[in-house]
Amino acid sequence: MIVKKLLLPILFFTSLFTSAQKVGGNPAALKWQQINTQLARVIFPKGLDSQANRVSNIVQLLDSITMHTIGNRQRKWNIVLLNQTTIPNAYVRLAPVISELNLLPGQDNFSNGSIRGDDNLIIHENRHMQQFANFNGGLTKVFSFFLGQEGQLLANGITIPDYFFEGDAVWQETLVSAQGRGRMPFFYNGFRSLQMGNKNYSWMKLRSGSLLDYTPDHYELGYQLVAYGNEKYGTDFWQKVTTDAVHFKGLFYPFNKAIQKYSGKTYLQFRQDALNYFKTQTMPQHKTEPELQYITPVKKNTVASYLFPVYINDDSILITKKSYKQINAFYLIVNGREEKISIKKIVIDDYFSYNNGRIVYASYQSDPRWGNRDYSNIQLLDLYTKEKKQLTFKTKYFSPVINKDGTEILAVNVEVNGGNSLHRIDGYTGKLIQEIPNPNNYFFTQSNYLDNNSAIAAVRNPEGQMALIKVNLNNGETETVTPFSFNVVGFPFVKNDTVYYSAMDNNTPSDKIFAVTLKDKKIFRLTNNVNGVYQPAINSKGSLLFSAFTADGSRLATIGAAQINWQLVDNATIIPTKNIGTSNALNSRGSGALYQLTDTKNTTSKYSKSFKLFNFHSWRPLVSDPEYGYTVYSDNILSSFTNSLTYAYNRNDRSRKIAFDAIYAGWFPYLDLGTSTSFGRQVDTAFGKTVLFNSAKINTGISIPLSFVGGTTSKYIDFGVSYTVEQLYYRGIGKNVFTNKGINYANTFFSFSNVSQRSRQQINPRWAQTVSFSYRDAFNYRNSHKLVSSSSLYLPGLFTNHSLVINGAFQKRDALPDLFSNNFSYSRGYDALSQPTMYKVGVNYHLPLLYPDWGFGNIIFFQRIRLNTFYDYTSVSAKRNISSIVYLKNRSTGGELYFDTKIWNALQATFGIRFSHLLDPNYRNQLVKNRWEFIVPINLIPN
């Protein structure tokens, strides 16, 4: 228990910043280069020189212009550019000092904006670099002294809320660029939807999230508080607040106390004022438009989103739908009745296209071995026969659209070198028909056919501005349909000579439906909604259908043809992008800094994969009575080599141990190496004498972890073998009694899991299978060997979020005293035996009881309380003597009450209480008939 109390807080906060890194994620064949300056080392695959150069220049620019608003300390960062993955993302972390940028931009223009992807990522992540460089003062340095870089993470996690980290980074996006999420109406949809729906949630619910109701994320919450502080109290406000916080001024809740000190308001009043301020900036004073006419209902006890509606005919609508209770699937809505067509394969975004009975969309596919390489393939689904077909393999296709006849597909193809173009693809074979030239270097997002020879597309130009363009599918010639601006556009729908689309609106801060006539390029605003509406469609009667963002999910709404107000829009009102609420602060130093960037040519050189293989960054105390010590951790920059060094002292026998463990994951198999030496170990003999001995151990092994994530399930396979040699060296009188014989043993293992997709509320996947086994054999020590296997089968329960789990385990080993550790899953409640032959069967039934959405003190927030009832049966065969075998059984039944929580409003953690009623004697403790146990989350305990 002492171990858990000391180490759990460290992992609580380090996990907030370290979860994104993949050990051994980069293909071995990649050749790496670097740009090494005083402020950053940018590491990138060969061929990305221009992007790496721009990233390096932006870091130097921002550190000279925006650093002062958070502090004045600079720290050199390692920035790794990744171009093999289709998931647009980035992160910054300590332990070790590294940032990774996934360069492939996303297709959703409204959620992240349209400025070039590498600019967007580095502007945001650079702010995190500045934060960490300046959040290591005062008492935080004491944490760093005792725990290394993880110590700073621990202290920062205690003193600085996660919403500030992200809100402050979004502020930098908005300050230094012409866009940024702070200028984008989509970013305010969440809070507006709560205000429009009269959802007055508690602060802890807004901070921690809910499994029952929609809540905006900490990016949206954080930006409103950060922006308000900058606007009302000056751009040095947060520098003063965070400096006091990391110095632990006030000791308890130092961040809250610093806000009160520098704003003159209580923390409660400050956050209420911030949210109310943005409410007045984003909500109209008077309603100017009637309530939307929704055609999909509010679902009870869940959040359901109906997306990308398509009219099959005037009475039938095809949509993709997902909810907190159900996974993503295609549905057909006929006269208000929903019919499920098919589960959707795993996707990055929800976009799809339909024509002539055929649905096409892009699905995600992992690379089996390399975690930082994956694909986006085109899937075909026949609406009527339900037949499914994958058309492309190992491709990077996005936003596919199918032509009227269903014979051809137009998709966005993204190259690993950053290139982007439209591909015409055969709708039956998936073969490439034509790559359409892209001389203007546009970045294509959603498109739609005008006819067989032309299409309309929403594109971003190299400056990050967006427009609708007409593309000649034969030669790539383009014609601008709407003017380029930083107001994003997307989801074009074609009806006759008119293109309907979603776009940012400068009239009020919300995304609305617009239309443009191709003949004269006149632009009309069709809706005057308060919150965002997207993905328009028109039926034969001229009725407008779209998906509207609400607090209950995205709901379908419609406007009859006669009620559509076609408001002509002047191009001059479309082009500018307005600030939302913080014009004074957004005009401070650093405003538009991105456009002051000079194209300095930095020196490029080869980056050696062996650079800083030993890169010690953190150390943790080892407290596991009777052993005490310290472990030092090391990870190289490319995440291909992780290792640790441990010193431990055993207070019982006064022995010391030094150990080194390492994994090299840069090749196809993982290579494992471990070695340890112990001094002064003791063993008591039958002669009443204590014998001293030293020992040395070395183990090597290989393993191959494989991931097959794609389709409707995720499959994982891991197998390998290790070999250990342990040599004992007896001292003193022991040399006369024992020989210095070594022990050699091997371990082979295999594990497999096949897991279906799981919705937010589902406790377990509705369908899953797991199998694992290990075999250990000590070749030269008493013929000791041990086989242990286990399996689980996950099945649907009686109701949507219920789960039935059947598991089993089997053990077969030698009849001698057990040499190996005991990892057999024994019946719950018993003191586990380890006999030559054992098997176990268990039945579990999981169900949710309550969604309290309640917490206290910003320390712990309860999202869900759930129950698992179980029955375990274990059969044991053991030798009573040389000639007879006794058969035992240990059965138990009981329940486990679990609490799914958020700790400090940030870290997901599940705790539980177990009651076991023993139906048979507990052979190691005959007096125990019932047992209560406290269940701690094992995933929070460091390896």
Side-chain angles (χ1 to χ4, degrees):
M1 188 60 70
I2 296 177
V3 180
K4 295 170 187 175
K5 285 183 179 179
L6 289 176
L7 294 185
L8 285 180
I10 299 174
L11 212 65
F12 279 162
F13 295 109
T14 57
S15 66
L16 298 180
F17 302 98
T18 60
S19 59
Q21 191 178 35
K22 298 182 178 71
V23 175
N26 299 306
L30 281 181
K31 305 298 181 184
W32 296 91
Q33 294 183 298
Q34 66 176 339
I35 293 176
N36 188 15
T37 66
Q38 183 178 357
L39 297 179
R41 183 191 307 274
V42 183
I43 305 163
F44 56 96
K46 190 174 182 179
L48 297 184
D49 304 61
S50 62
Q51 289 166 282
N53 192 74
R54 186 173 178 88
V55 166
S56 179
N57 288 336
I58 289 176
V59 170
Q60 295 182 67
L61 172 69
L62 297 183
D63 278 3
S64 66
I65 292 180
T66 65
M67 176 76 80
H68 72 282
T69 59
I70 201 70
N72 54 21
R73 296 193 185 114
Q74 292 180 325
R75 184 172 194 166
K76 185 171 181 176
W77 227 267
N78 301 295
I79 304 171
V80 182
L81 308 186
L82 303 177
N83 66 343
Q84 303 288 315
T85 177
T86 61
I87 300 174
N89 199 6
Y91 73 92
V92 167
R93 62 171 284 176
L94 295 172
V97 176
I98 187 175
S99 174
E100 289 188 348
L101 311 183
N102 298 350
L103 292 181
L104 192 146
Q107 290 283 298
D108 186 351
N109 307 308
F110 294 91
S111 62
N112 290 313
S114 61
I115 66 173
R116 55 182 288 174
D118 47 359
D119 286 5
N120 214 5
L121 293 176
I122 192 57
I123 290 170
H124 184 97
E125 302 307 326
N126 170 260
R127 189 56 168 183
H128 292 322
M129 300 173 196
Q130 295 176 358
Q131 291 163 350
F132 283 130
N134 286 279
F135 290 175
N136 193 29
L139 190 58
T140 298
K141 283 188 174 180
V142 178
F143 284 75
S144 298
F145 176 81
F146 285 105
L147 300 170
Q149 292 174 21
E150 284 187 355
Q152 181 184 339
L153 285 178
L154 171 59
N156 290 169
I158 293 172
T159 56
I160 309 292
D162 62 344
Y163 72 76
F164 174 81
F165 280 96
E166 298 303 345
D168 186 45
V170 174
W171 171 261
Q172 176 149 295
E173 295 173 23
T174 312
L175 175 69
V176 307
S177 76
Q179 200 175 74
R181 278 173 278 188
R183 287 192 183 89
M184 301 187 65
F186 184 90
F187 198 58
Y188 300 92
N189 280 344
F191 276 99
R192 265 198 308 245
S193 70
L194 298 186
Q195 292 151 6
M196 294 172 67
N198 297 316
K199 310 282 188 180
N200 299 312
Y201 297 145
S202 69
W203 172 251
M204 286 196 72
K205 184 167 180 174
L206 290 176
R207 287 279 285 112
S208 297
S210 170
L211 296 175
L212 192 65
D213 300 307
Y214 166 78
T215 55
D217 64 24
H218 59 293
Y219 288 75
E220 300 163 62
L221 175 65
Y223 178 79
Q224 295 195 17
L225 270 65
V226 169
Y228 175 78
N230 287 328
E231 181 75 4
K232 296 298 181 181
Y233 304 103
T235 55
D236 64 342
F237 175 72
W238 293 110
Q239 186 268 331
K240 293 184 288 189
V241 168
T242 55
T243 298
D244 278 14
V246 299
H247 281 74
F248 283 82
K249 292 186 177 180
L251 194 58
F252 298 106
Y253 301 104
F255 186 83
N256 303 0
K257 292 179 179 177
I259 286 179
Q260 181 171 346
K261 175 181 176 181
Y262 294 108
S263 71
K265 299 177 180 179
T266 65
Y267 178 58
L268 172 62
Q269 189 63 53
F270 176 86
R271 71 192 192 218
Q272 288 177 343
D273 288 351
L275 297 180
N276 286 332
Y277 175 78
F278 272 96
K279 179 179 179 180
T280 63
Q281 298 296 317
T282 59
M283 291 281 288
Q285 297 298 316
H286 306 285
K287 288 188 177 181
T288 58
E289 186 82 354
E291 294 284 349
L292 295 176
Q293 299 301 308
Y294 295 109
I295 63 172
T296 51
V298 173
K299 301 290 186 179
K300 187 178 180 180
N301 297 327
T302 187
V303 176
S305 289
Y306 297 77
L307 302 169
F308 297 98
V310 177
Y311 277 112
I312 304 299
N313 53 54
D314 290 346
D315 299 319
S316 302
I317 301 169
L318 176 67
I319 50 97
T320 180
K321 175 190 166 187
K322 58 185 178 182
S323 76
Y324 285 8
K325 283 186 177 180
Q326 296 173 315
I327 62 175
N328 210 341
F330 291 107
Y331 288 80
L332 192 62
I333 302 176
V334 181
N335 295 320
R337 181 176 173 272
E338 297 179 15
E339 176 190 350
K340 188 174 181 179
I341 303 301
S342 175
I343 291 174
K344 210 170 186 180
K345 293 187 177 182
I346 297 170
V347 296
I348 298 173
D349 67 61
D350 296 307
Y351 186 82
F352 76 94
S353 174
Y354 169 85
N355 253 320
N356 199 26
R358 314 184 89 204
I359 300 170
V360 293
Y361 64 100
S363 71
Y364 174 84
Q365 181 69 57
S366 70
D367 183 278
R369 170 59 181 86
W370 308 109
N372 287 330
R373 182 169 69 186
D374 46 59
Y375 308 98
S376 181
N377 300 312
I378 295 179
Q379 303 290 339
L380 176 69
L381 170 65
D382 190 292
L383 176 62
Y384 302 109
T385 67
K386 312 291 194 301
E387 181 183 355
K388 302 173 185 178
K389 183 179 181 180
Q390 182 168 323
L391 292 179
T392 67
F393 299 84
K394 293 189 176 181
T395 54
K396 287 180 167 58
Y397 282 135
F398 302 91
S399 300
V401 61
I402 193 166
N403 69 356
K404 185 176 181 179
D405 299 327
T407 58
E408 182 182 291
I409 296 167
L410 191 65
V412 179
N413 178 62
V414 183
E415 303 284 352
V416 294
N417 62 5
N420 176 286
S421 62
L422 290 176
H423 279 193
R424 300 175 71 177
I425 301 163
D426 188 286
Y428 291 95
T429 66
K431 292 182 178 180
L432 177 64
I433 298 173
Q434 179 190 359
E435 179 177 344
I436 301 170
N438 183 15
N440 297 307
N441 195 27
Y442 290 142
F443 185 87
F444 287 87
T445 59
Q446 300 90 24
S447 62
N448 218 324
Y449 281 94
L450 294 173
D451 52 47
N452 287 335
N453 296 307
S454 61
I456 195 83
V459 299
R460 310 169 192 167
N461 66 16
E463 290 73 39
Q465 298 172 315
M466 288 207 72
L468 293 180
I469 65 167
K470 182 179 178 180
V471 184
N472 186 310
L473 298 181
N474 297 313
N475 56 26
E477 290 181 357
T478 62
E479 176 186 343
T480 303
V481 177
T482 64
F484 277 97
S485 78
F486 286 105
N487 292 320
V488 299
V489 298
F491 314 126
F493 175 86
V494 179
K495 187 74 171 180
N496 300 324
D497 186 50
T498 304
V499 178
Y500 301 81
Y501 62 99
S502 296
M504 284 171 55
D505 180 31
N506 268 329
N507 186 44
T508 58
S510 63
D511 299 321
K512 298 181 172 64
I513 305 298
F514 289 77
V516 58
T517 51
L518 295 174
K519 183 177 180 180
D520 52 19
K521 298 183 182 177
K522 289 184 177 180
I523 300 174
F524 300 88
R525 183 188 299 111
L526 305 187
T527 64
N528 197 26
N529 47 281
V530 174
N531 218 20
V533 296
Y534 307 93
Q535 307 142 19
I538 297 286
N539 67 6
S540 64
K541 298 176 183 178
S543 295
L544 174 63
L545 176 68
F546 48 82
S547 181
F549 195 110
T550 79
D552 299 301
S554 293
R555 299 174 64 190
L556 297 187
T558 184
I559 302 176
Q563 284 73 47
I564 299 175
N565 184 11
W566 290 72
Q567 295 177 297
L568 184 64
V569 179
D570 187 348
N571 284 0
T573 66
I574 292 178
I575 294 175
T577 304
K578 294 183 179 179
N579 296 331
I580 300 178
T582 53
S583 294
N584 292 330
L586 286 174
N587 286 320
S588 62
R589 181 185 174 192
S591 177
L594 180 64
Y595 309 105
Q596 304 170 21
L597 185 69
T598 57
D599 188 20
T600 304
K601 300 298 181 185
N602 299 291
T603 302
T604 299
S605 61
K606 179 182 177 182
Y607 180 80
S608 172
K609 295 180 182 180
S610 61
F611 177 73
K612 284 194 174 181
L613 274 181
F614 294 94
N615 181 33
F616 295 102
H617 52 76
S618 304
W619 34 94
R620 296 182 198 165
L622 171 64
V623 185
S624 181
D625 192 59
E627 285 197 331
Y628 299 86
Y630 249 94
T631 300
V632 182
Y633 296 91
S634 166
D635 295 274
N636 71 327
I637 305 306
L638 290 180
S639 306
S640 59
F641 186 57
T642 179
N643 54 90
S644 63
L645 184 65
T646 299
Y647 173 81
Y649 173 78
N650 188 303
R651 71 178 182 87
N652 283 352
D653 61 10
R654 299 181 183 180
S655 64
R656 290 90 59 206
K657 181 176 73 173
I658 299 174
F660 173 77
D661 293 285
I663 298 175
Y664 181 73
W667 296 334
F668 187 80
Y670 281 18
L671 304 182
D672 304 288
L673 173 66
T675 182
S676 65
T677 301
S678 297
F679 305 94
R681 293 174 63 181
Q682 300 179 17
V683 61
D684 294 328
T685 69
F687 308 105
K689 298 289 184 178
T690 297
V691 173
L692 299 177
F693 67 97
N694 300 333
S695 68
K697 181 168 69 173
I698 184 169
N699 60 277
T700 61
I702 63 170
S703 60
I704 299 178
L706 301 174
S707 300
F708 300 90
V709 179
T712 57
T713 64
S714 300
K715 301 176 180 65
Y716 303 94
I717 299 174
D718 191 11
F719 60 96
V721 60
S722 65
Y723 188 81
T724 301
V725 176
E726 183 171 9
Q727 182 67 50
L728 308 181
Y729 301 94
Y730 291 94
R731 298 163 48 194
I733 192 174
K735 290 191 291 186
N736 302 324
V737 180
F738 303 101
T739 59
N740 294 334
K741 185 176 182 180
I743 302 174
N744 304 335
Y745 55 91
N747 176 36
T748 59
F749 64 90
F750 172 86
S751 66
F752 168 80
S753 62
N754 179 40
V755 182
S756 66
Q757 300 176 70
R758 183 170 57 162
S759 70
R760 184 180 179 91
Q761 288 184 359
Q762 288 172 357
I763 298 170
N764 293 310
R766 290 176 66 79
W767 300 98
Q769 309 85 40
T770 68
V771 177
S772 68
F773 76 82
S774 67
Y775 178 74
R776 289 168 286 181
D777 196 320
F779 301 107
N780 64 339
Y781 188 78
R782 304 182 307 181
N783 191 30
S784 295
H785 58 271
K786 190 175 194 178
L787 170 69
V788 178
S789 64
S790 63
S791 64
S792 295
L793 177 63
Y794 293 76
L795 300 168
L798 297 176
F799 298 96
T800 303
N801 293 328
H802 292 205
S803 175
L804 174 65
V805 183
I806 303 171
N807 50 47
F810 175 77
Q811 174 174 297
K812 185 72 174 179
R813 69 171 185 86
D814 59 86
L816 299 169
D818 200 352
L819 176 67
F820 303 106
S821 60
N822 186 1
N823 56 356
F824 179 85
S825 176
Y826 208 79
S827 291
R828 278 162 279 196
Y830 289 90
D831 295 290
L833 304 176
S834 181
Q835 295 301 320
T837 303
M838 301 193 302
Y839 72 84
K840 176 220 171 178
V841 176
V843 179
N844 304 264
Y845 193 87
H846 299 262
L847 68 156
L849 296 178
L850 189 64
Y851 296 91
D853 281 349
W854 175 87
F856 60 89
N858 289 303
I859 297 173
I860 187 168
F861 182 79
F862 294 88
Q863 293 181 317
R864 176 173 59 192
I865 301 174
R866 53 189 173 90
L867 175 68
N868 175 41
T869 59
F870 67 85
Y871 172 81
D872 288 340
Y873 178 97
T874 298
S875 174
V876 178
S877 63
K879 278 193 174 183
R880 176 177 294 169
N881 50 51
I882 296 177
S883 59
S884 65
I885 297 177
V886 60
Y887 295 94
L888 311 173
K889 62 181 178 181
N890 278 163
R891 299 167 299 160
S892 65
T893 187
E896 297 165 337
L897 191 65
Y898 288 100
F899 302 88
D900 296 324
T901 71
K902 278 286 187 75
I903 306 296
W904 288 289
N905 297 314
L907 184 72
Q908 196 77 49
T910 296
F911 301 88
I913 300 171
R914 176 188 296 149
F915 171 75
S916 304
H917 174 62
L918 279 55
L919 302 175
D920 300 296
N922 182 8
Y923 296 101
R924 289 190 168 180
N925 193 340
Q926 296 278 354
L927 297 178
V928 174
K929 297 296 182 182
N930 299 300
R931 175 165 283 174
W932 291 89
E933 298 170 280
F934 181 63
I935 305 169
V936 297
I938 59 172
N939 59 305
L940 294 181
I941 300 175
N943 293 323

